[in-house]
Amino acid sequence: MKKLQEWFTRGAEFIAAMSLAAIFFTFLLQILFRYVPFLEPIGWSVVLISLLWVFVIFFGCAFIVRESDHVAFDVLYLAVPRHVRKVLALVSAVLMVIAMLYSLPAMWETVFANRLMDLKKIQTIRMPITGDKIAIKWLFAPFVMLMIVATLRYLWRIYTVLRFGPPETEMEKLLGGETDKAELDQ
């Protein structure tokens, strides 16, 4: 399981890195075409960079950023004993799952079932093979992906908190884990 997780993480990091590289090279291409006298400026580069940037942000938040990397206001959480932290972790995870599941159908309908999202096209970028204009819904599709992955992450968190207790705090990690947890609760 650990190998599969490592392989998946490396794959997600590779996709994000290639997207960032595409942003960088598109930016360089835009500069070249803008300032070289005999070349005509290209209009699609700004839109492509914007699309890729939105994709990288939501893709990265969904698959690369760990729970411990997010900003957390955990002063009260860290001040309570371990059994209370378990309850708080469960409540917050359940609330996140409820919020995501409640808003997912509306977001899905807005992005994928809305006729306007199909009709409105990105004017300067076309599909490479068919030459068709790209529907604006694909700009918002990574957000739907983020919502689905966040829901799955919090469902997994509910399972791990119920099975193993609340996640270790930074202090517990520094002090060495299980043996010091009893001392921290006192």
Side-chain angles (χ1 to χ4, degrees):
M1 183 67 169
K2 202 70 160 163
K3 266 300 199 210
L4 180 65
Q5 182 182 6
E6 185 178 318
W7 180 82
F8 183 78
T9 302
R10 295 286 179 231
E13 289 171 348
F14 177 77
I15 291 169
M18 290 299 103
S19 298
L20 286 172
I23 289 170
F24 179 71
F25 288 120
T26 304
F27 182 70
L28 291 179
L29 191 66
Q30 177 187 22
I31 292 171
L32 177 75
F33 273 75
R34 183 177 293 166
Y35 293 110
V36 173
F38 58 88
L39 295 175
E40 242 180 84
I42 48 179
W44 54 264
S45 60
V46 173
V47 177
L48 179 61
I49 289 170
S50 300
L51 281 169
L52 287 172
W53 184 248
V54 169
F55 172 77
V56 166
I57 295 297
F58 289 130
F59 183 84
C61 284
F63 294 109
I64 298 171
V65 179
R66 297 174 309 226
E67 185 75 29
S68 61
D69 294 337
H70 288 281
V71 174
F73 300 102
D74 55 0
V75 174
L76 294 176
Y77 178 80
L78 296 174
V80 297
R82 186 167 168 73
H83 65 278
V84 176
R85 276 189 265 142
K86 180 177 182 177
V87 171
L88 291 174
L90 279 173
V91 167
S92 65
V94 167
L95 288 175
M96 285 300 295
V97 169
I98 290 170
M100 291 293 174
L101 290 177
Y102 177 76
S103 59
L104 185 61
M107 183 57 65
W108 185 273
E109 184 177 331
T110 300
V111 174
F112 294 112
N114 188 339
R115 179 115 171 97
L116 183 61
M117 288 290 207
D118 278 328
L119 292 175
K120 187 155 174 67
K121 307 285 185 185
I122 299 170
Q123 296 300 316
T124 54
I125 300 180
R126 296 181 181 271
M127 295 293 285
I129 296 172
T130 63
D132 295 336
K133 292 179 181 174
I134 299 172
I136 197 78
K137 70 180 176 184
W138 297 111
L139 176 63
F140 299 98
F143 183 70
V144 175
M145 174 188 61
L146 171 66
M147 290 181 70
I148 292 168
V149 172
T151 304
L152 294 174
R153 272 185 163 188
Y154 279 103
L155 285 170
W156 181 253
R157 184 169 184 148
I158 292 169
Y159 168 76
T160 58
V161 168
L162 286 173
R163 179 121 193 241
F164 305 111
E168 280 186 321
T169 64
E170 293 296 318
M171 186 61 73
E172 289 170 340
K173 289 177 185 175
L174 289 173
L175 292 177
E178 291 295 328
T179 57
D180 297 319
K181 287 180 186 174
E183 295 172 17
L184 288 173
D185 281 340
Q186 296 174 358

mmCIF file of all heavy atoms in Angstrom, residues 17-61:
data_model
loop_
_atom_site.group_PDB
_atom_site.id
_atom_site.type_symbol
_atom_site.label_atom_id
_atom_site.label_comp_id
_atom_site.label_asym_id
_atom_site.label_seq_id
_atom_site.Cartn_x
_atom_site.Cartn_y
_atom_site.Cartn_z
ATOM 1 N N ALA A 17 4.297 19.454 -11.806
ATOM 2 C CA ALA A 17 5.560 20.026 -12.290
ATOM 3 C C ALA A 17 5.510 20.282 -13.792
ATOM 4 O O ALA A 17 5.986 21.325 -14.270
ATOM 5 C CB ALA A 17 6.721 19.093 -11.948
ATOM 6 N N MET A 18 4.922 19.369 -14.539
ATOM 7 C CA MET A 18 4.815 19.565 -15.992
ATOM 8 C C MET A 18 3.869 20.725 -16.318
ATOM 9 O O MET A 18 4.099 21.474 -17.272
ATOM 10 C CB MET A 18 4.336 18.281 -16.682
ATOM 11 C CG MET A 18 5.362 17.167 -16.686
ATOM 12 S SD MET A 18 6.886 17.611 -17.553
ATOM 13 C CE MET A 18 7.992 17.931 -16.210
ATOM 14 N N SER A 19 2.829 20.884 -15.537
ATOM 15 C CA SER A 19 1.925 22.023 -15.733
ATOM 16 C C SER A 19 2.642 23.339 -15.449
ATOM 17 O O SER A 19 2.488 24.314 -16.193
ATOM 18 C CB SER A 19 0.695 21.891 -14.837
ATOM 19 O OG SER A 19 -0.034 20.738 -15.155
ATOM 20 N N LEU A 20 3.429 23.373 -14.382
ATOM 21 C CA LEU A 20 4.204 24.581 -14.072
ATOM 22 C C LEU A 20 5.255 24.845 -15.152
ATOM 23 O O LEU A 20 5.495 26.004 -15.516
ATOM 24 C CB LEU A 20 4.861 24.454 -12.702
ATOM 25 C CG LEU A 20 3.921 24.592 -11.518
ATOM 26 C CD1 LEU A 20 4.637 24.247 -10.217
ATOM 27 C CD2 LEU A 20 3.344 25.994 -11.444
ATOM 28 N N ALA A 21 5.869 23.790 -15.673
ATOM 29 C CA ALA A 21 6.836 23.956 -16.766
ATOM 30 C C ALA A 21 6.143 24.503 -18.009
ATOM 31 O O ALA A 21 6.691 25.376 -18.701
ATOM 32 C CB ALA A 21 7.524 22.626 -17.071
ATOM 33 N N ALA A 22 4.939 24.018 -18.297
ATOM 34 C CA ALA A 22 4.189 24.522 -19.451
ATOM 35 C C ALA A 22 3.844 26.000 -19.267
ATOM 36 O O ALA A 22 3.910 26.784 -20.218
ATOM 37 C CB ALA A 22 2.917 23.697 -19.657
ATOM 38 N N ILE A 23 3.496 26.387 -18.036
ATOM 39 C CA ILE A 23 3.235 27.800 -17.747
ATOM 40 C C ILE A 23 4.485 28.624 -18.013
ATOM 41 O O ILE A 23 4.435 29.668 -18.678
ATOM 42 C CB ILE A 23 2.760 27.985 -16.283
ATOM 43 C CG1 ILE A 23 1.351 27.434 -16.099
ATOM 44 C CG2 ILE A 23 2.813 29.454 -15.863
ATOM 45 C CD1 ILE A 23 0.904 27.356 -14.653
ATOM 46 N N PHE A 24 5.619 28.158 -17.513
ATOM 47 C CA PHE A 24 6.874 28.893 -17.666
ATOM 48 C C PHE A 24 7.262 29.031 -19.142
ATOM 49 O O PHE A 24 7.592 30.128 -19.605
ATOM 50 C CB PHE A 24 7.979 28.183 -16.881
ATOM 51 C CG PHE A 24 9.312 28.846 -16.998
ATOM 52 C CD1 PHE A 24 9.550 30.063 -16.382
ATOM 53 C CD2 PHE A 24 10.329 28.250 -17.725
ATOM 54 C CE1 PHE A 24 10.783 30.683 -16.490
ATOM 55 C CE2 PHE A 24 11.563 28.863 -17.842
ATOM 56 C CZ PHE A 24 11.796 30.077 -17.222
ATOM 57 N N PHE A 25 7.197 27.941 -19.896
ATOM 58 C CA PHE A 25 7.596 28.003 -21.305
ATOM 59 C C PHE A 25 6.609 28.808 -22.143
ATOM 60 O O PHE A 25 7.007 29.498 -23.077
ATOM 61 C CB PHE A 25 7.810 26.597 -21.868
ATOM 62 C CG PHE A 25 9.052 25.957 -21.334
ATOM 63 C CD1 PHE A 25 8.980 24.772 -20.618
ATOM 64 C CD2 PHE A 25 10.302 26.542 -21.515
ATOM 65 C CE1 PHE A 25 10.128 24.190 -20.104
ATOM 66 C CE2 PHE A 25 11.458 25.967 -21.007
ATOM 67 C CZ PHE A 25 11.370 24.789 -20.298
ATOM 68 N N THR A 26 5.337 28.746 -21.808
ATOM 69 C CA THR A 26 4.353 29.582 -22.499
ATOM 70 C C THR A 26 4.620 31.059 -22.224
ATOM 71 O O THR A 26 4.525 31.903 -23.117
ATOM 72 C CB THR A 26 2.924 29.207 -22.070
ATOM 73 O OG1 THR A 26 2.720 27.813 -22.303
ATOM 74 C CG2 THR A 26 1.886 30.005 -22.834
ATOM 75 N N PHE A 27 4.976 31.360 -20.989
ATOM 76 C CA PHE A 27 5.329 32.733 -20.615
ATOM 77 C C PHE A 27 6.550 33.212 -21.398
ATOM 78 O O PHE A 27 6.573 34.332 -21.931
ATOM 79 C CB PHE A 27 5.568 32.799 -19.106
ATOM 80 C CG PHE A 27 5.900 34.166 -18.609
ATOM 81 C CD1 PHE A 27 4.936 35.166 -18.584
ATOM 82 C CD2 PHE A 27 7.177 34.462 -18.168
ATOM 83 C CE1 PHE A 27 5.233 36.443 -18.120
ATOM 84 C CE2 PHE A 27 7.495 35.725 -17.701
ATOM 85 C CZ PHE A 27 6.519 36.716 -17.681
ATOM 86 N N LEU A 28 7.576 32.363 -21.494
ATOM 87 C CA LEU A 28 8.768 32.724 -22.276
ATOM 88 C C LEU A 28 8.426 32.913 -23.754
ATOM 89 O O LEU A 28 8.930 33.840 -24.411
ATOM 90 C CB LEU A 28 9.855 31.663 -22.119
ATOM 91 C CG LEU A 28 10.513 31.566 -20.751
ATOM 92 C CD1 LEU A 28 11.556 30.447 -20.742
ATOM 93 C CD2 LEU A 28 11.145 32.882 -20.355
ATOM 94 N N LEU A 29 7.587 32.048 -24.269
ATOM 95 C CA LEU A 29 7.149 32.160 -25.664
ATOM 96 C C LEU A 29 6.392 33.463 -25.883
ATOM 97 O O LEU A 29 6.589 34.149 -26.898
ATOM 98 C CB LEU A 29 6.260 30.959 -26.005
ATOM 99 C CG LEU A 29 5.914 30.736 -27.461
ATOM 100 C CD1 LEU A 29 7.167 30.372 -28.247
ATOM 101 C CD2 LEU A 29 4.888 29.628 -27.577
ATOM 102 N N GLN A 30 5.564 33.823 -24.942
ATOM 103 C CA GLN A 30 4.814 35.076 -25.024
ATOM 104 C C GLN A 30 5.771 36.271 -25.067
ATOM 105 O O GLN A 30 5.584 37.198 -25.867
ATOM 106 C CB GLN A 30 3.877 35.190 -23.821
ATOM 107 C CG GLN A 30 3.104 36.474 -23.756
ATOM 108 C CD GLN A 30 2.321 36.578 -22.450
ATOM 109 O OE1 GLN A 30 2.648 35.941 -21.462
ATOM 110 N NE2 GLN A 30 1.285 37.389 -22.471
ATOM 111 N N ILE A 31 6.782 36.263 -24.230
ATOM 112 C CA ILE A 31 7.768 37.351 -24.226
ATOM 113 C C ILE A 31 8.506 37.405 -25.554
ATOM 114 O O ILE A 31 8.684 38.480 -26.144
ATOM 115 C CB ILE A 31 8.757 37.172 -23.054
ATOM 116 C CG1 ILE A 31 8.038 37.391 -21.730
ATOM 117 C CG2 ILE A 31 9.939 38.138 -23.184
ATOM 118 C CD1 ILE A 31 8.863 37.027 -20.521
ATOM 119 N N LEU A 32 8.921 36.248 -26.043
ATOM 120 C CA LEU A 32 9.640 36.186 -27.329
ATOM 121 C C LEU A 32 8.796 36.773 -28.453
ATOM 122 O O LEU A 32 9.266 37.619 -29.211
ATOM 123 C CB LEU A 32 10.017 34.734 -27.635
ATOM 124 C CG LEU A 32 10.700 34.500 -28.976
ATOM 125 C CD1 LEU A 32 12.147 34.993 -28.892
ATOM 126 C CD2 LEU A 32 10.648 33.034 -29.341
ATOM 127 N N PHE A 33 7.542 36.343 -28.542
ATOM 128 C CA PHE A 33 6.687 36.818 -29.628
ATOM 129 C C PHE A 33 6.297 38.278 -29.464
ATOM 130 O O PHE A 33 5.986 38.949 -30.438
ATOM 131 C CB PHE A 33 5.424 35.937 -29.722
ATOM 132 C CG PHE A 33 5.625 34.724 -30.573
ATOM 133 C CD1 PHE A 33 6.352 33.646 -30.094
ATOM 134 C CD2 PHE A 33 5.092 34.658 -31.841
ATOM 135 C CE1 PHE A 33 6.548 32.524 -30.873
ATOM 136 C CE2 PHE A 33 5.274 33.534 -32.636
ATOM 137 C CZ PHE A 33 6.014 32.466 -32.147
ATOM 138 N N ARG A 34 6.300 38.784 -28.260
ATOM 139 C CA ARG A 34 5.927 40.172 -28.044
ATOM 140 C C ARG A 34 7.063 41.134 -28.398
ATOM 141 O O ARG A 34 6.839 42.216 -28.924
ATOM 142 C CB ARG A 34 5.504 40.397 -26.594
ATOM 143 C CG ARG A 34 5.033 41.832 -26.360
ATOM 144 C CD ARG A 34 4.541 42.048 -24.963
ATOM 145 N NE ARG A 34 3.314 41.280 -24.767
ATOM 146 C CZ ARG A 34 2.776 41.032 -23.588
ATOM 147 N NH1 ARG A 34 3.352 41.477 -22.498
ATOM 148 N NH2 ARG A 34 1.674 40.340 -23.489
ATOM 149 N N TYR A 35 8.301 40.745 -28.096
ATOM 150 C CA TYR A 35 9.399 41.705 -28.208
ATOM 151 C C TYR A 35 10.340 41.479 -29.381
ATOM 152 O O TYR A 35 11.192 42.318 -29.646
ATOM 153 C CB TYR A 35 10.194 41.746 -26.897
ATOM 154 C CG TYR A 35 9.368 42.330 -25.783
ATOM 155 C CD1 TYR A 35 8.916 41.543 -24.733
ATOM 156 C CD2 TYR A 35 8.995 43.675 -25.805
ATOM 157 C CE1 TYR A 35 8.136 42.083 -23.725
ATOM 158 C CE2 TYR A 35 8.219 44.220 -24.798
ATOM 159 C CZ TYR A 35 7.795 43.416 -23.766
ATOM 160 O OH TYR A 35 7.022 43.961 -22.775
ATOM 161 N N VAL A 36 10.222 40.383 -30.081
ATOM 162 C CA VAL A 36 11.024 40.200 -31.290
ATOM 163 C C VAL A 36 10.294 40.906 -32.429
ATOM 164 O O VAL A 36 9.122 40.636 -32.689
ATOM 165 C CB VAL A 36 11.244 38.698 -31.588
ATOM 166 C CG1 VAL A 36 11.922 38.503 -32.930
ATOM 167 C CG2 VAL A 36 12.039 38.039 -30.475
ATOM 168 N N PRO A 37 11.000 41.824 -33.122
ATOM 169 C CA PRO A 37 10.341 42.705 -34.087
ATOM 170 C C PRO A 37 9.597 42.007 -35.233
ATOM 171 O O PRO A 37 8.541 42.448 -35.635
ATOM 172 C CB PRO A 37 11.494 43.553 -34.643
ATOM 173 C CG PRO A 37 12.591 43.433 -33.655
ATOM 174 C CD PRO A 37 12.416 42.141 -32.950
ATOM 175 N N PHE A 38 10.109 40.921 -35.759
ATOM 176 C CA PHE A 38 9.474 40.302 -36.932
ATOM 177 C C PHE A 38 8.420 39.255 -36.577
ATOM 178 O O PHE A 38 7.814 38.665 -37.462
ATOM 179 C CB PHE A 38 10.541 39.693 -37.862
ATOM 180 C CG PHE A 38 11.408 38.672 -37.199
ATOM 181 C CD1 PHE A 38 11.032 37.344 -37.165
ATOM 182 C CD2 PHE A 38 12.619 39.036 -36.613
ATOM 183 C CE1 PHE A 38 11.824 36.402 -36.560
ATOM 184 C CE2 PHE A 38 13.420 38.102 -36.017
ATOM 185 C CZ PHE A 38 13.030 36.774 -35.983
ATOM 186 N N LEU A 39 8.159 39.027 -35.287
ATOM 187 C CA LEU A 39 7.134 38.077 -34.864
ATOM 188 C C LEU A 39 5.882 38.823 -34.404
ATOM 189 O O LEU A 39 5.959 39.909 -33.865
ATOM 190 C CB LEU A 39 7.646 37.206 -33.711
ATOM 191 C CG LEU A 39 8.807 36.275 -34.036
ATOM 192 C CD1 LEU A 39 9.280 35.573 -32.764
ATOM 193 C CD2 LEU A 39 8.439 35.244 -35.080
ATOM 194 N N GLU A 40 4.728 38.207 -34.651
ATOM 195 C CA GLU A 40 3.462 38.797 -34.218
ATOM 196 C C GLU A 40 3.101 38.295 -32.826
ATOM 197 O O GLU A 40 3.244 37.102 -32.539
ATOM 198 C CB GLU A 40 2.347 38.372 -35.186
ATOM 199 C CG GLU A 40 1.713 39.539 -35.891
ATOM 200 C CD GLU A 40 0.631 39.053 -36.819
ATOM 201 O OE1 GLU A 40 -0.499 38.845 -36.330
ATOM 202 O OE2 GLU A 40 0.912 38.895 -37.998
ATOM 203 N N PRO A 41 2.616 39.158 -31.928
ATOM 204 C CA PRO A 41 2.231 38.700 -30.583
ATOM 205 C C PRO A 41 1.133 37.635 -30.645
ATOM 206 O O PRO A 41 0.277 37.659 -31.532
ATOM 207 C CB PRO A 41 1.707 39.971 -29.912
ATOM 208 C CG PRO A 41 2.296 41.089 -30.681
ATOM 209 C CD PRO A 41 2.466 40.592 -32.092
ATOM 210 N N ILE A 42 1.202 36.698 -29.715
ATOM 211 C CA ILE A 42 0.214 35.617 -29.661
ATOM 212 C C ILE A 42 -0.791 35.913 -28.547
ATOM 213 O O ILE A 42 -0.407 36.299 -27.457
ATOM 214 C CB ILE A 42 0.893 34.244 -29.451
ATOM 215 C CG1 ILE A 42 1.923 34.300 -28.320
ATOM 216 C CG2 ILE A 42 1.544 33.772 -30.731
ATOM 217 C CD1 ILE A 42 2.610 32.999 -28.026
ATOM 218 N N GLY A 43 -2.063 35.757 -28.841
ATOM 219 C CA GLY A 43 -3.100 36.108 -27.882
ATOM 220 C C GLY A 43 -3.503 34.964 -26.969
ATOM 221 O O GLY A 43 -3.996 35.179 -25.870
ATOM 222 N N TRP A 44 -3.263 33.744 -27.380
ATOM 223 C CA TRP A 44 -3.729 32.609 -26.607
ATOM 224 C C TRP A 44 -2.859 32.301 -25.398
ATOM 225 O O TRP A 44 -3.272 31.553 -24.509
ATOM 226 C CB TRP A 44 -3.820 31.362 -27.483
ATOM 227 C CG TRP A 44 -2.552 31.030 -28.226
ATOM 228 C CD1 TRP A 44 -2.247 31.377 -29.506
ATOM 229 C CD2 TRP A 44 -1.424 30.311 -27.718
ATOM 230 N NE1 TRP A 44 -1.000 30.913 -29.837
ATOM 231 C CE2 TRP A 44 -0.477 30.252 -28.749
ATOM 232 C CE3 TRP A 44 -1.121 29.715 -26.515
ATOM 233 C CZ2 TRP A 44 0.756 29.623 -28.606
ATOM 234 C CZ3 TRP A 44 0.105 29.082 -26.367
ATOM 235 C CH2 TRP A 44 1.027 29.036 -27.402
ATOM 236 N N SER A 45 -1.682 32.858 -25.334
ATOM 237 C CA SER A 45 -0.750 32.493 -24.263
ATOM 238 C C SER A 45 -1.268 32.886 -22.876
ATOM 239 O O SER A 45 -1.131 32.125 -21.914
ATOM 240 C CB SER A 45 0.621 33.107 -24.510
ATOM 241 O OG SER A 45 0.518 34.512 -24.563
ATOM 242 N N VAL A 46 -1.879 34.050 -22.752
ATOM 243 C CA VAL A 46 -2.388 34.499 -21.448
ATOM 244 C C VAL A 46 -3.513 33.580 -20.972
ATOM 245 O O VAL A 46 -3.566 33.213 -19.791
ATOM 246 C CB VAL A 46 -2.879 35.962 -21.532
ATOM 247 C CG1 VAL A 46 -3.559 36.378 -20.247
ATOM 248 C CG2 VAL A 46 -1.734 36.884 -21.856
ATOM 249 N N VAL A 47 -4.378 33.180 -21.875
ATOM 250 C CA VAL A 47 -5.489 32.302 -21.506
ATOM 251 C C VAL A 47 -4.969 30.919 -21.118
ATOM 252 O O VAL A 47 -5.422 30.335 -20.124
ATOM 253 C CB VAL A 47 -6.508 32.202 -22.668
ATOM 254 C CG1 VAL A 47 -7.615 31.232 -22.326
ATOM 255 C CG2 VAL A 47 -7.064 33.568 -22.998
ATOM 256 N N LEU A 48 -4.005 30.403 -21.865
ATOM 257 C CA LEU A 48 -3.440 29.096 -21.533
ATOM 258 C C LEU A 48 -2.755 29.132 -20.167
ATOM 259 O O LEU A 48 -2.927 28.227 -19.353
ATOM 260 C CB LEU A 48 -2.448 28.638 -22.606
ATOM 261 C CG LEU A 48 -1.785 27.290 -22.345
ATOM 262 C CD1 LEU A 48 -2.833 26.176 -22.281
ATOM 263 C CD2 LEU A 48 -0.747 26.991 -23.415
ATOM 264 N N ILE A 49 -2.012 30.178 -19.902
ATOM 265 C CA ILE A 49 -1.353 30.312 -18.598
ATOM 266 C C ILE A 49 -2.399 30.371 -17.490
ATOM 267 O O ILE A 49 -2.245 29.727 -16.444
ATOM 268 C CB ILE A 49 -0.440 31.558 -18.579
ATOM 269 C CG1 ILE A 49 0.784 31.324 -19.453
ATOM 270 C CG2 ILE A 49 -0.026 31.917 -17.158
ATOM 271 C CD1 ILE A 49 1.626 32.561 -19.698
ATOM 272 N N SER A 50 -3.476 31.107 -17.702
ATOM 273 C CA SER A 50 -4.541 31.195 -16.689
ATOM 274 C C SER A 50 -5.200 29.843 -16.443
ATOM 275 O O SER A 50 -5.427 29.453 -15.293
ATOM 276 C CB SER A 50 -5.598 32.205 -17.120
ATOM 277 O OG SER A 50 -5.027 33.467 -17.266
ATOM 278 N N LEU A 51 -5.507 29.123 -17.518
ATOM 279 C CA LEU A 51 -6.111 27.795 -17.385
ATOM 280 C C LEU A 51 -5.190 26.846 -16.619
ATOM 281 O O LEU A 51 -5.620 26.147 -15.701
ATOM 282 C CB LEU A 51 -6.407 27.200 -18.760
ATOM 283 C CG LEU A 51 -7.643 27.688 -19.478
ATOM 284 C CD1 LEU A 51 -7.649 27.209 -20.914
ATOM 285 C CD2 LEU A 51 -8.885 27.212 -18.768
ATOM 286 N N LEU A 52 -3.926 26.830 -17.005
ATOM 287 C CA LEU A 52 -2.983 25.941 -16.340
ATOM 288 C C LEU A 52 -2.775 26.323 -14.877
ATOM 289 O O LEU A 52 -2.620 25.456 -14.019
ATOM 290 C CB LEU A 52 -1.644 25.930 -17.082
ATOM 291 C CG LEU A 52 -1.635 25.189 -18.410
ATOM 292 C CD1 LEU A 52 -0.321 25.417 -19.139
ATOM 293 C CD2 LEU A 52 -1.887 23.707 -18.215
ATOM 294 N N TRP A 53 -2.770 27.612 -14.588
ATOM 295 C CA TRP A 53 -2.578 28.050 -13.206
ATOM 296 C C TRP A 53 -3.734 27.599 -12.321
ATOM 297 O O TRP A 53 -3.522 27.087 -11.222
ATOM 298 C CB TRP A 53 -2.400 29.565 -13.151
ATOM 299 C CG TRP A 53 -2.100 30.064 -11.777
ATOM 300 C CD1 TRP A 53 -2.891 30.825 -10.982
ATOM 301 C CD2 TRP A 53 -0.929 29.797 -11.010
ATOM 302 N NE1 TRP A 53 -2.281 31.063 -9.774
ATOM 303 C CE2 TRP A 53 -1.062 30.434 -9.768
ATOM 304 C CE3 TRP A 53 0.243 29.075 -11.259
ATOM 305 C CZ2 TRP A 53 -0.102 30.375 -8.782
ATOM 306 C CZ3 TRP A 53 1.199 29.022 -10.262
ATOM 307 C CH2 TRP A 53 1.030 29.670 -9.047
ATOM 308 N N VAL A 54 -4.958 27.782 -12.811
ATOM 309 C CA VAL A 54 -6.136 27.334 -12.040
ATOM 310 C C VAL A 54 -6.065 25.822 -11.843
ATOM 311 O O VAL A 54 -6.307 25.303 -10.749
ATOM 312 C CB VAL A 54 -7.442 27.749 -12.745
ATOM 313 C CG1 VAL A 54 -8.653 27.078 -12.125
ATOM 314 C CG2 VAL A 54 -7.601 29.257 -12.719
ATOM 315 N N PHE A 55 -5.692 25.099 -12.900
ATOM 316 C CA PHE A 55 -5.569 23.653 -12.794
ATOM 317 C C PHE A 55 -4.529 23.261 -11.753
ATOM 318 O O PHE A 55 -4.773 22.399 -10.909
ATOM 319 C CB PHE A 55 -5.202 23.033 -14.148
ATOM 320 C CG PHE A 55 -4.878 21.572 -14.061
ATOM 321 C CD1 PHE A 55 -5.886 20.634 -13.949
ATOM 322 C CD2 PHE A 55 -3.558 21.135 -14.052
ATOM 323 C CE1 PHE A 55 -5.589 19.281 -13.840
ATOM 324 C CE2 PHE A 55 -3.254 19.794 -13.944
ATOM 325 C CZ PHE A 55 -4.270 18.866 -13.837
ATOM 326 N N VAL A 56 -3.350 23.885 -11.786
ATOM 327 C CA VAL A 56 -2.277 23.542 -10.849
ATOM 328 C C VAL A 56 -2.703 23.798 -9.408
ATOM 329 O O VAL A 56 -2.432 22.987 -8.519
ATOM 330 C CB VAL A 56 -0.980 24.319 -11.184
ATOM 331 C CG1 VAL A 56 0.022 24.252 -10.053
ATOM 332 C CG2 VAL A 56 -0.355 23.783 -12.448
ATOM 333 N N ILE A 57 -3.381 24.907 -9.170
ATOM 334 C CA ILE A 57 -3.818 25.229 -7.803
ATOM 335 C C ILE A 57 -4.774 24.159 -7.272
ATOM 336 O O ILE A 57 -4.558 23.587 -6.199
ATOM 337 C CB ILE A 57 -4.501 26.616 -7.753
ATOM 338 C CG1 ILE A 57 -3.512 27.719 -8.095
ATOM 339 C CG2 ILE A 57 -5.139 26.857 -6.389
ATOM 340 C CD1 ILE A 57 -2.362 27.858 -7.152
ATOM 341 N N PHE A 58 -5.823 23.865 -8.015
ATOM 342 C CA PHE A 58 -6.813 22.905 -7.525
ATOM 343 C C PHE A 58 -6.273 21.478 -7.529
ATOM 344 O O PHE A 58 -6.537 20.702 -6.613
ATOM 345 C CB PHE A 58 -8.109 23.000 -8.327
ATOM 346 C CG PHE A 58 -8.870 24.259 -8.057
ATOM 347 C CD1 PHE A 58 -9.322 25.055 -9.085
ATOM 348 C CD2 PHE A 58 -9.139 24.658 -6.754
ATOM 349 C CE1 PHE A 58 -10.021 26.221 -8.835
ATOM 350 C CE2 PHE A 58 -9.837 25.819 -6.495
ATOM 351 C CZ PHE A 58 -10.277 26.602 -7.538
ATOM 352 N N PHE A 59 -5.495 21.111 -8.538
ATOM 353 C CA PHE A 59 -4.897 19.781 -8.596
ATOM 354 C C PHE A 59 -3.929 19.593 -7.435
ATOM 355 O O PHE A 59 -3.928 18.554 -6.770
ATOM 356 C CB PHE A 59 -4.186 19.580 -9.937
ATOM 357 C CG PHE A 59 -3.605 18.213 -10.110
ATOM 358 C CD1 PHE A 59 -4.392 17.173 -10.557
ATOM 359 C CD2 PHE A 59 -2.268 17.970 -9.825
ATOM 360 C CE1 PHE A 59 -3.863 15.902 -10.710
ATOM 361 C CE2 PHE A 59 -1.730 16.716 -9.975
ATOM 362 C CZ PHE A 59 -2.527 15.672 -10.421
ATOM 363 N N GLY A 60 -3.102 20.607 -7.192
ATOM 364 C CA GLY A 60 -2.138 20.527 -6.096
ATOM 365 C C GLY A 60 -2.815 20.416 -4.747
ATOM 366 O O GLY A 60 -2.406 19.623 -3.889
ATOM 367 N N CYS A 61 -3.871 21.204 -4.533
ATOM 368 C CA CYS A 61 -4.600 21.132 -3.262
ATOM 369 C C CYS A 61 -5.288 19.780 -3.097
ATOM 370 O O CYS A 61 -5.407 19.272 -1.983
ATOM 371 C CB CYS A 61 -5.621 22.254 -3.168
ATOM 372 S SG CYS A 61 -4.875 23.837 -2.804
#
